[in-house]
Amino acid sequence: MPSTVARIALFAALIAALGLVPQITLPFAGGVPITAQTLGIMLAGLILGPWRGAAAVLVFLAVVAMGAPLLAGGRGGLGVFVGPTVGFLVGFPIAAIVIGLIWRAMPEGRPMLAGVTASVVGGILTLYAFGIPGLALVTDMPLTKAAMVMAAFIPGDILKALIAAAVNREVRRARVLA
């Protein structure tokens, strides 16, 4: 189905484009930067659904693995899969699945609430469940310290969840009007 392939490719490109937003590096974060790319993961899960969203993320990660410098800060290649962000990269497709499944399970009448809930649970809690242990493992940081370091990222991630929910709501409104 060409429209499905096109949508998957479009969202893989969107995640890549969000890597162009300059990253913010916190000196205490063990090499994990603040990026806009998790917004793309949230949008993929909300708009494409769990399986197509995960497919878009996997396409993006495959291109990164082949060496394309598409991660924030111009990073790419197999080396990123053994660095401090490996847990987040592994968690990206799983986060998209969780976001999509939660979105589908939520009542239709409250798209903002559903979008924020799905994005927070999938795009923050699920992603941190992979990212924090990955950070701890790669940097030899105790798990509790890695969790405390990631706490600094929560306000920005909540903002991304709100943005993703609002964009999702407007995309769905536009589909109804079209």
Side-chain angles (χ1 to χ4, degrees):
M1 184 177 247
S3 65
T4 295
V5 172
R7 287 181 189 150
I8 290 169
L10 176 67
F11 274 84
L14 172 66
I15 297 165
L18 287 168
L20 296 173
V21 175
Q23 69 180 17
I24 299 169
T25 305
L26 302 175
F28 58 85
V32 177
I34 296 173
T35 75
Q37 288 182 301
T38 50
L39 173 61
I41 305 304
M42 292 174 187
L43 288 168
L46 288 172
I47 295 172
L48 293 181
W51 313 116
R52 290 180 185 133
V57 174
L58 289 169
V59 167
F60 167 75
L61 290 174
V63 175
V64 167
M66 288 188 277
L70 299 178
L71 290 172
R75 298 173 299 125
L78 291 175
V80 300
F81 294 95
V82 294
T85 59
V86 65
F88 293 97
L89 299 176
V90 169
F92 277 180
I94 297 160
I97 291 168
V98 172
I99 291 164
L101 290 174
I102 291 173
W103 167 259
R104 285 184 178 173
M106 297 291 288
E108 289 183 28
R110 311 269 323 238
M112 275 301 291
L113 177 62
V116 170
T117 301
S119 295
V120 166
V121 173
I124 300 174
L125 298 177
T126 300
L127 202 49
Y128 283 25
F130 287 87
I132 291 170
L135 174 63
L137 181 69
V138 170
T139 63
D140 288 325
M141 190 182 296
L143 195 58
T144 54
K145 183 176 180 190
M148 290 186 333
V149 164
M150 293 312 302
F153 291 74
I154 293 172
D157 286 337
I158 290 172
L159 177 61
K160 290 180 227 175
L162 290 166
I163 292 168
V167 169
N168 178 54
R169 179 189 64 204
E170 296 308 315
V171 165
R172 291 180 187 284
R173 272 190 197 160
R175 284 183 185 164
V176 171
L177 296 174

